[in-house]
Amino acid sequence: MSGLADLERDAAQHGWLVSPGFIDLHAHLREPGFEESETIATGARAALAGGFTTICAMPNTEPAIDSPGLVAEVIARGAAARAARVLPIAAITRGRLGKELADLVELAAAGAVAFSDDGAPVSDGQLFRNALEYARASGRPIFEHSQDLALTADGVMHEGVVSARLGLPGMAAAAEETAIARDLSLARLAGGRLHLSHVSTAGGVELVRRAKSDGLAITAEVTPHHLALTDEWVAGSRAFAWEDGGDRATPYETSTKVNPPLRTASDVRACWAGLMDGTIDAIATDHAPHASTRKDVEFQEAAFGISGFETAVPLLLAGVAAGWGTWDRVVEALTTGPARVLGITLPENDRVVIDPNAAWTCDAAALVSLGKNTPLLGRALIGRVVACAVDGELRFDLTRIAAS
Amino acid sequence: MTWQRRHVLATDDWSRAEIEQVLDQTGAMVEVLGRPIRRTPALRGRTVILFFAEASTRTRVSFELAAKALSADVTNITASGSSVEKGETLRDTVRTLTALGGDVIVMRHAASGAPYFVAERTDAAVINAGDGWHAHPTQGLLDAYTLRGALGDLDGRRIVIVGDITHSRVARSDIDALVPLGATVTLSGPPTLVPSAWRCGMTPRGTTYEPDLDRALDGADGVIALRLQKERQHAGLLPSIREYAKTWGLSEERVKRMRPEAPVLHPGPMNEGVEIAASVAHGARSLIETQVTNGVAVRMALLYLLAGTPEQVA
Amino acid sequence: MVGIRARGDLIATRLHEAIRRNENVDVPLGSLDITLYRDDLTRIGHAPVVRESVIPFSIDDRIVVLIDDVLFTGRTIRAAMDALVDYGRPRAIRLAVLVDRGHRELPIKADFVGKNVPTNLADDVRVQLIETGGADTVELVQAAAA
Ligand SMILES: [Zn+2]
């Protein structure tokens, strides 16, 4: 275990930031079923390049992770990759079809750390109530993707001035807010541990804030892209929420298509405020890699999702530099926050080392993930993960990669 | 002024001078179309590909006449004749279009933004002939030309656009052509068919929203009625076509609220008795037939300007 | 009388006015823009402005006099004749020019010439008119001096 001590000495010399390894509550690793987009191994390596030493794999694979055997398989493949620690999330409902509950107790026993039908909400209120109640027996939280599907029927971006201008069907903020309101009501009724995935609207943040002040034991996460980018990016802007002007890209870039959609600057502001006052517990990437065939199409046809592991740190550092948050709180939301959501203690010997001043270009070759679908592609970013250790073992070392 | 644009995808970022240049060229093209022989050799040896992934006889024929009046070779790729219906991706289609070696690709597509996708991936100049709900720039320019012909200068004029604004690429392109020329635009139509942001005070520059059509028309200098797609009723956006016609249809009575002689436009094809009364469509104020002629001329002007642009403008 | 834009049409207007004053005859007058008929359109790299042509009379079976300022290679006149026949079938087309500077590239000859001016190929003949904001002058700028 010489790695860890050397690492910390090196970091101190360079003025690099050292912190416990980051935990990502929300990642799509695509295996099994969509291995051209990502595999458990490539995803786990990309996670390390982004500073995440523990990642929770979403079960919206093909087949969906809804049986103990599949949970075990994800764990086995994750361990074999010897990169980031991979924790499986299992489906709430069989086949993620939203019809009947999966065997939540057995899934937990097999190692599922949480349940989620992410990508789709559990629209049936009674079923969702049952899930919350029954999951108490498993001791695991429910991660809910809060979206009213009827309100977002054909929507492909945030509904607002930009969608009106671009002539694209919108997804109103209200579609997230009404779903969160329902989820909170049911959590109040059912008890259990509800965790809200990727909250992206000012209204959503406010609902969570009020529920928490009422004493409801819920948790919530926000993504780095919802803490930096706005719906203007769909129209070609490349200015962060706290910037004016900047360069422009072609409008309708499918790399800006993500669900929940990129919102307005005031939503971004509200997400930071929620993060800072503890309303939001965790920052999770919603890493959603896609093969180019699913993105090299018309905007309305393109798959939702941003490849997010490797750009999280520079986005968050930029927000901190702009004065919208503090680095200490960001680190909490990447470490102790998500650990509390999962009910685990921080792995003692996981570390991430960040050079906060490193300038690098986020091009396809620089990204470890198979998913090159990020609107930051080709852009100069500041701040980069230099090294990661998992269980005291140096598993990611940028200097060595650069040398080789 | 030397023409600099490589593509015509939308006019939302065009200067007033650029729009005026196109309209001035359109005037010269209208004269060409009035000659006994309506064919000039300007684009001899150039190929214009008409790629229509969504059916539209009118716009396609208009572009075809425009290209032929300039002696360009015309290749038609329609949805039924191409592989679009067989599940070929737009990326594949772009490869085919590029291989065909067209100088100009005129495209109609159901997806907003599709022309940007094509323009990024081909060497040809791209003219957007309508993309989803987004833009139909040649329609916007021909409407501006038609209104300028009827009203003279558009500075300070107020034009009403009534109908299904949300789903209308014509409305967006009319705004993008008229407002830079100094006109203001009053949008009117059912609240369910106007983008929420535009109803809540965040209308595009130079425009306002007035749900009451009578009030919108009071003293206006002209009106553009949009086609109502009858499927909007089935989507739950309208209670009935009858109520729409009564509330937002252009009746003879209503039209009189505008200034005397204020013209009536419609991009066609019309649902007479729905968004426009037959007597208005064929009445003295109607410029609907003039729009058709002007449509060919404006497309000639753009084809001429684009085909005359250097191959690689930085 | 049909003047070729831009400048031939101004000379045509002057001639038209002189004929009206001296002979009391109102010869039908038009102007022709030949941009769309140029044979170098695809080579010049940008689209020159097309101006409106105005020929408010039938040219069928009539004698049309084309009027231009300078006759040089003959390509402009070729384009003008192509444009003109799109308006009808004249009995004859004649050509009147202020200056013939030689160096024809096409078999074209003027019927009426104000002045023949021998030039070198690289020289520049500049016609200024009061209507274009100058004085009425014709300048021969020799290549060496230019
Ligand atoms: Zn989700």
Side-chain angles (χ1 to χ4, degrees):
Chain A
M1 296 295 143
S2 65
L4 214 52
D6 291 347
L7 201 58
E8 291 181 342
R9 198 175 39 247
D10 261 25
Q13 268 174 11
H14 288 93
W16 291 338
L17 306 169
V18 182
S19 99
F22 297 157
I23 301 174
D24 190 351
L25 294 176
H26 195 141
H28 299 274
L29 301 186
R30 305 300 187 209
E31 182 181 352
F34 307 100
E35 289 82 355
E36 72 285 3
S37 294
E38 193 83 289
T39 65
I40 290 171
T42 59
R45 281 200 293 274
L48 287 183
F52 298 93
T53 51
T54 301
I55 55 177
C56 299
M58 278 294 174
N60 61 332
T61 48
E62 186 55 50
I65 309 303
D66 64 353
S67 72
L70 286 164
V71 169
E73 187 62 31
V74 172
I75 292 171
R77 292 189 195 183
R82 292 183 61 80
R85 187 183 294 103
V86 177
L87 305 179
I89 299 171
I92 299 171
T93 65
R94 241 181 268 291
R96 296 177 58 254
L97 297 174
K99 301 283 188 228
E100 48 183 337
L101 290 183
D103 299 318
L104 304 188
V105 172
E106 283 179 31
L107 287 165
V113 295
F115 305 107
S116 179
D117 277 2
D118 185 63
V122 181
S123 292
D124 180 329
Q126 181 60 40
L127 185 64
F128 190 61
R129 173 190 173 173
N130 293 346
L132 285 167
E133 287 174 346
Y134 192 85
R136 300 175 74 162
S138 73
R140 302 279 185 254
I142 298 272
F143 287 11
E144 179 63 352
H145 167 128
S146 304
Q147 177 183 0
D148 182 323
L149 293 177
L151 277 173
T152 54
D154 306 312
V156 293
M157 71 172 292
H158 173 67
E159 179 178 329
V161 170
V162 182
S163 68
R165 188 164 80 227
L166 294 178
L168 288 173
M171 305 166 92
E176 173 174 305
E177 292 154 8
T178 56
I180 288 178
R182 181 206 74 161
D183 297 341
L184 293 173
S185 288
L186 291 175
R188 212 168 264 128
L189 175 69
R193 283 170 53 202
L194 172 63
H195 172 74
L196 297 170
S197 294
H198 44 55
V199 175
S200 64
T201 59
V205 171
E206 184 54 29
L207 285 166
V208 175
R209 181 176 291 122
R210 264 186 270 158
K212 283 191 167 185
S213 76
D214 291 350
L216 198 62
I218 48 142
T219 52
E221 75 191 25
V222 62
T223 74
H225 48 269
H226 289 116
L227 287 172
L229 318 184
T230 67
D231 58 346
E232 288 284 357
W233 280 56
V234 183
S237 165
R238 288 298 178 265
F240 292 133
W242 44 84
E243 292 174 338
D244 288 321
D247 7 320
R248 296 198 69 81
T250 311
Y252 302 97
E253 285 263 344
T254 58
S255 60
T256 62
K257 184 175 173 180
V258 62
N259 186 18
L262 300 176
R263 307 282 186 184
T264 67
S266 59
D267 291 303
V268 174
R269 183 108 223 177
C271 287
W272 273 107
L275 179 70
M276 292 308 296
D277 71 11
T279 301
I280 303 289
D281 303 86
I283 297 170
T285 63
D286 194 3
H287 175 73
H290 285 294
S292 66
T293 49
R294 309 218 38 217
K295 284 288 196 181
D296 198 12
V297 294
E298 301 90 309
F299 193 88
Q300 275 155 283
E301 301 299 318
F304 288 101
I306 290 178
S307 181
F309 282 146
E310 295 163 80
T311 54
V313 163
L315 286 182
L316 295 168
L317 280 168
V320 168
W324 284 27
T326 62
W327 183 246
D328 286 351
R329 177 64 194 138
V330 165
V331 170
E332 275 174 26
L334 289 165
T335 54
T336 51
R340 209 173 52 245
V341 172
L342 292 172
I344 61 173
T345 49
L346 272 186
E348 223 174 288
N349 291 319
D350 285 8
R351 292 288 184 285
V352 53
V353 179
I354 292 165
D355 177 352
N357 301 313
W360 60 291
T361 302
C362 172
D363 53 27
L367 292 177
V368 176
S369 171
L370 297 184
K372 314 299 181 187
N373 51 302
T374 163
L376 298 165
L377 206 65
R379 304 194 68 76
L381 300 175
I382 307 287
R384 197 169 190 184
V385 173
V386 175
C388 281
V390 179
D391 282 337
E393 181 188 0
L394 187 64
R395 290 195 181 172
F396 175 77
D397 183 347
L398 187 65
T399 50
R400 210 164 51 202
I401 291 170
S404 69
Chain B
M1 186 171 92
T2 304
W3 188 253
Q4 291 295 345
R5 290 199 181 260
R6 180 106 185 83
H7 308 289
V8 178
L9 306 178
T11 57
D12 58 346
D13 59 345
W14 285 25
S15 67
R16 178 177 188 141
E18 285 175 300
I19 291 172
E20 284 178 338
Q21 189 180 357
V22 172
L23 301 194
D24 292 345
Q25 290 300 277
T26 302
M29 299 304 177
V30 167
E31 190 275 330
V32 170
L33 292 171
R35 295 178 193 175
I37 295 174
R38 294 182 217 94
R39 196 185 189 91
T40 70
L43 299 189
R44 221 164 32 182
R46 298 290 176 117
T47 300
V48 174
I49 298 176
L50 304 181
F51 165 46
F52 277 62
E54 194 185 63
S56 164
T57 311
R58 301 163 64 96
T59 306
R60 192 181 55 72
V61 166
S62 181
F63 269 108
E64 184 153 0
L65 289 173
K68 286 183 171 166
L70 296 170
S71 298
D73 296 319
V74 178
T75 303
N76 266 291
I77 298 182
T78 49
S80 52
S82 74
S83 310
V84 174
E85 289 183 338
K86 297 170 204 154
E88 186 183 274
T89 65
L90 186 57
R91 187 74 193 85
D92 295 335
T93 308
V94 175
R95 289 196 185 96
T96 308
L97 294 176
T98 304
L100 287 172
D103 296 290
V104 181
I105 296 171
V106 175
M107 67 175 287
R108 160 70 58 98
H109 202 282
S112 296
Y116 293 86
F117 183 96
V118 174
E120 281 249 299
R121 292 163 175 80
T122 178
D123 293 332
V126 174
I127 299 182
N128 180 5
D131 62 324
W133 309 344
H134 171 239
H136 191 357
T138 61
Q139 182 74 44
L141 291 165
L142 84 87
D143 287 348
Y145 181 82
T146 305
L147 284 167
R148 199 176 73 163
L151 300 171
D153 201 348
L154 292 183
D155 258 315
R157 299 291 194 163
R158 186 170 69 83
I159 308 299
V160 176
I161 301 177
V162 57
D164 179 357
I165 308 288
T166 298
H167 305 97
S168 177
R169 53 189 169 224
V170 174
R172 287 180 180 79
S173 285
D174 279 339
I175 293 168
D176 290 341
L178 295 173
V179 172
L181 294 173
T184 58
V185 173
T186 305
L187 304 169
S188 190
T192 47
L193 295 178
V194 177
S196 54
W198 293 3
R199 276 185 282 110
C200 305
M202 291 188 284
T203 45
R205 193 174 59 85
T207 70
T208 52
Y209 172 59
E210 171 52 68
D212 183 329
L213 179 57
D214 286 341
R215 254 188 287 176
L217 289 175
D218 277 333
D221 294 295
V223 62
I224 301 169
L226 303 172
R227 177 179 168 78
L228 182 75
Q229 304 285 344
K230 297 200 174 144
E231 58 262 30
R232 303 297 171 226
Q233 188 193 344
H234 306 302
L237 295 167
L238 287 176
S240 72
I241 299 298
R242 188 192 52 76
E243 178 162 295
Y244 178 85
K246 208 175 141 199
T247 318
W248 288 284
L250 277 185
S251 65
E252 242 181 305
E253 214 40 50
R254 282 217 167 98
V255 164
K256 287 186 192 137
R257 290 177 166 270
M258 297 193 292
R259 292 209 180 158
E261 325 271 294
V264 174
L265 280 70
H266 189 295
M270 287 182 283
N271 297 301
E272 287 181 15
V274 180
E275 69 265 11
I276 189 166
S279 57
V280 174
H282 306 290
R285 292 170 185 260
S286 170
L287 292 180
I288 296 168
E289 279 172 33
T290 314
Q291 283 176 278
V292 176
T293 315
N294 291 346
V296 178
V298 93
R299 287 162 186 135
M300 285 173 72
L302 290 169
L303 286 171
Y304 167 74
L305 288 169
L306 291 193
T309 309
E311 298 295 322
Q312 306 297 341
V313 174
Chain C
M1 300 167 68
V2 173
I4 299 171
R5 301 188 76 155
R7 218 164 268 143
D9 57 334
L10 300 174
I11 294 168
T13 304
R14 290 232 204 145
L15 289 171
H16 174 265
E17 176 59 20
I19 291 168
R20 200 188 54 74
R21 209 171 42 234
N22 296 329
E23 308 290 334
N24 207 23
V25 177
D26 195 3
V27 184
L29 174 67
S31 65
L32 193 61
D33 183 282
I34 54 100
T35 310
L36 295 171
Y37 296 80
R38 286 172 63 154
D39 59 6
D40 58 351
L41 258 188
T42 57
R43 291 194 304 165
I44 51 181
H46 65 90
V49 174
V50 182
R51 287 169 214 284
E52 201 173 318
S53 299
V54 182
I55 302 187
F57 49 86
S58 167
I59 62 167
D60 281 336
D61 267 334
R62 306 182 88 165
I63 296 170
V64 177
V65 182
L66 276 176
I67 297 160
D68 205 359
D69 56 349
V70 179
L71 177 58
F72 183 23
T73 63
R75 287 178 191 273
T76 300
I77 307 305
R78 195 279 309 160
M81 289 193 290
D82 282 353
L84 201 58
V85 298
D86 282 353
Y87 287 84
R89 185 180 184 280
R91 180 139 55 93
I93 301 177
R94 309 272 184 239
L95 176 62
V97 296
L98 192 61
V99 175
D100 182 349
R101 59 165 291 189
H103 302 290
R104 218 73 77 237
E105 291 169 7
L106 297 172
I108 282 168
K109 184 174 174 299
D111 300 281
F112 312 99
V113 179
K115 187 171 177 58
N116 285 297
V117 180
T119 61
N120 287 317
L121 189 59
D123 292 347
D124 197 2
V125 176
R126 293 177 189 167
V127 176
Q128 307 257 24
L129 295 171
I130 291 166
E131 293 90 327
T132 58
D136 283 344
T137 56
V138 177
E139 253 180 296
L140 172 63
V141 185
Q142 289 185 318

mmCIF file of all heavy atoms in Angstrom, chain B residues 177-193:
data_model
loop_
_atom_site.group_PDB
_atom_site.id
_atom_site.type_symbol
_atom_site.label_atom_id
_atom_site.label_comp_id
_atom_site.label_asym_id
_atom_site.label_seq_id
_atom_site.Cartn_x
_atom_site.Cartn_y
_atom_site.Cartn_z
ATOM 1 N N ALA B 177 -38.634 37.511 -40.269
ATOM 2 C CA ALA B 177 -38.445 38.349 -41.464
ATOM 3 C C ALA B 177 -39.053 39.734 -41.271
ATOM 4 O O ALA B 177 -38.495 40.727 -41.731
ATOM 5 C CB ALA B 177 -39.065 37.673 -42.685
ATOM 6 N N LEU B 178 -40.186 39.806 -40.581
ATOM 7 C CA LEU B 178 -40.906 41.084 -40.487
ATOM 8 C C LEU B 178 -40.307 42.025 -39.439
ATOM 9 O O LEU B 178 -40.186 43.221 -39.680
ATOM 10 C CB LEU B 178 -42.391 40.828 -40.164
ATOM 11 C CG LEU B 178 -43.180 40.082 -41.241
ATOM 12 C CD1 LEU B 178 -44.585 39.740 -40.757
ATOM 13 C CD2 LEU B 178 -43.255 40.938 -42.513
ATOM 14 N N VAL B 179 -39.938 41.469 -38.297
ATOM 15 C CA VAL B 179 -39.464 42.330 -37.206
ATOM 16 C C VAL B 179 -38.164 43.060 -37.582
ATOM 17 O O VAL B 179 -38.053 44.267 -37.347
ATOM 18 C CB VAL B 179 -39.346 41.533 -35.885
ATOM 19 C CG1 VAL B 179 -38.676 42.381 -34.803
ATOM 20 C CG2 VAL B 179 -40.732 41.080 -35.417
ATOM 21 N N PRO B 180 -37.185 42.387 -38.193
ATOM 22 C CA PRO B 180 -35.981 43.130 -38.603
ATOM 23 C C PRO B 180 -36.276 44.259 -39.588
ATOM 24 O O PRO B 180 -35.528 45.218 -39.672
ATOM 25 C CB PRO B 180 -35.103 42.061 -39.263
ATOM 26 C CG PRO B 180 -35.577 40.780 -38.701
ATOM 27 C CD PRO B 180 -37.054 40.953 -38.464
ATOM 28 N N LEU B 181 -37.390 44.158 -40.326
ATOM 29 C CA LEU B 181 -37.737 45.208 -41.289
ATOM 30 C C LEU B 181 -38.507 46.352 -40.629
ATOM 31 O O LEU B 181 -38.998 47.244 -41.317
ATOM 32 C CB LEU B 181 -38.557 44.612 -42.441
ATOM 33 C CG LEU B 181 -37.793 43.609 -43.323
ATOM 34 C CD1 LEU B 181 -38.731 42.947 -44.316
ATOM 35 C CD2 LEU B 181 -36.649 44.308 -44.057
ATOM 36 N N GLY B 182 -38.643 46.297 -39.313
ATOM 37 C CA GLY B 182 -39.247 47.423 -38.599
ATOM 38 C C GLY B 182 -40.712 47.230 -38.246
ATOM 39 O O GLY B 182 -41.319 48.105 -37.620
ATOM 40 N N ALA B 183 -41.296 46.105 -38.635
ATOM 41 C CA ALA B 183 -42.705 45.863 -38.313
ATOM 42 C C ALA B 183 -42.819 45.310 -36.899
ATOM 43 O O ALA B 183 -41.858 44.771 -36.349
ATOM 44 C CB ALA B 183 -43.310 44.885 -39.306
ATOM 45 N N THR B 184 -44.002 45.466 -36.298
ATOM 46 C CA THR B 184 -44.295 44.744 -35.069
ATOM 47 C C THR B 184 -45.319 43.670 -35.422
ATOM 48 O O THR B 184 -46.036 43.783 -36.409
ATOM 49 C CB THR B 184 -44.862 45.651 -33.963
ATOM 50 O OG1 THR B 184 -46.052 46.260 -34.462
ATOM 51 C CG2 THR B 184 -43.871 46.718 -33.581
ATOM 52 N N VAL B 185 -45.341 42.615 -34.637
ATOM 53 C CA VAL B 185 -46.223 41.488 -34.921
ATOM 54 C C VAL B 185 -47.087 41.224 -33.700
ATOM 55 O O VAL B 185 -46.585 41.155 -32.572
ATOM 56 C CB VAL B 185 -45.406 40.226 -35.271
ATOM 57 C CG1 VAL B 185 -46.309 39.014 -35.387
ATOM 58 C CG2 VAL B 185 -44.629 40.435 -36.567
ATOM 59 N N THR B 186 -48.390 41.114 -33.918
ATOM 60 C CA THR B 186 -49.300 40.707 -32.852
ATOM 61 C C THR B 186 -49.691 39.258 -33.116
ATOM 62 O O THR B 186 -50.216 38.937 -34.176
ATOM 63 C CB THR B 186 -50.574 41.577 -32.844
ATOM 64 O OG1 THR B 186 -50.187 42.948 -32.763
ATOM 65 C CG2 THR B 186 -51.461 41.217 -31.664
ATOM 66 N N LEU B 187 -49.387 38.394 -32.152
ATOM 67 C CA LEU B 187 -49.741 36.987 -32.285
ATOM 68 C C LEU B 187 -51.112 36.781 -31.662
ATOM 69 O O LEU B 187 -51.399 37.314 -30.592
ATOM 70 C CB LEU B 187 -48.706 36.111 -31.570
ATOM 71 C CG LEU B 187 -47.261 36.301 -32.014
ATOM 72 C CD1 LEU B 187 -46.308 35.573 -31.057
ATOM 73 C CD2 LEU B 187 -47.074 35.776 -33.433
ATOM 74 N N SER B 188 -51.948 36.012 -32.330
ATOM 75 C CA SER B 188 -53.254 35.716 -31.762
ATOM 76 C C SER B 188 -53.588 34.256 -32.048
ATOM 77 O O SER B 188 -53.137 33.699 -33.051
ATOM 78 C CB SER B 188 -54.323 36.629 -32.375
ATOM 79 O OG SER B 188 -55.537 36.483 -31.657
ATOM 80 N N GLY B 189 -54.376 33.669 -31.166
ATOM 81 C CA GLY B 189 -54.748 32.270 -31.343
ATOM 82 C C GLY B 189 -55.110 31.679 -30.006
ATOM 83 O O GLY B 189 -54.941 32.325 -28.956
ATOM 84 N N PRO B 190 -55.603 30.443 -30.001
ATOM 85 C CA PRO B 190 -55.990 29.800 -28.745
ATOM 86 C C PRO B 190 -54.775 29.654 -27.830
ATOM 87 O O PRO B 190 -53.701 29.285 -28.302
ATOM 88 C CB PRO B 190 -56.484 28.413 -29.179
ATOM 89 C CG PRO B 190 -56.657 28.502 -30.656
ATOM 90 C CD PRO B 190 -55.801 29.588 -31.157
ATOM 91 N N PRO B 191 -54.918 29.929 -26.545
ATOM 92 C CA PRO B 191 -53.785 29.811 -25.615
ATOM 93 C C PRO B 191 -53.123 28.432 -25.658
ATOM 94 O O PRO B 191 -51.924 28.314 -25.394
ATOM 95 C CB PRO B 191 -54.426 30.078 -24.252
ATOM 96 C CG PRO B 191 -55.611 30.931 -24.563
ATOM 97 C CD PRO B 191 -56.125 30.474 -25.893
ATOM 98 N N THR B 192 -53.887 27.398 -26.005
ATOM 99 C CA THR B 192 -53.280 26.065 -26.072
ATOM 100 C C THR B 192 -52.383 25.913 -27.297
ATOM 101 O O THR B 192 -51.655 24.933 -27.404
ATOM 102 C CB THR B 192 -54.369 24.986 -26.145
ATOM 103 O OG1 THR B 192 -55.335 25.379 -27.135
ATOM 104 C CG2 THR B 192 -55.046 24.778 -24.815
ATOM 105 N N LEU B 193 -52.461 26.866 -28.222
ATOM 106 C CA LEU B 193 -51.669 26.758 -29.444
ATOM 107 C C LEU B 193 -50.654 27.897 -29.566
ATOM 108 O O LEU B 193 -50.193 28.226 -30.663
ATOM 109 C CB LEU B 193 -52.594 26.727 -30.670
ATOM 110 C CG LEU B 193 -53.505 25.491 -30.759
ATOM 111 C CD1 LEU B 193 -54.417 25.581 -31.982
ATOM 112 C CD2 LEU B 193 -52.696 24.205 -30.804
#
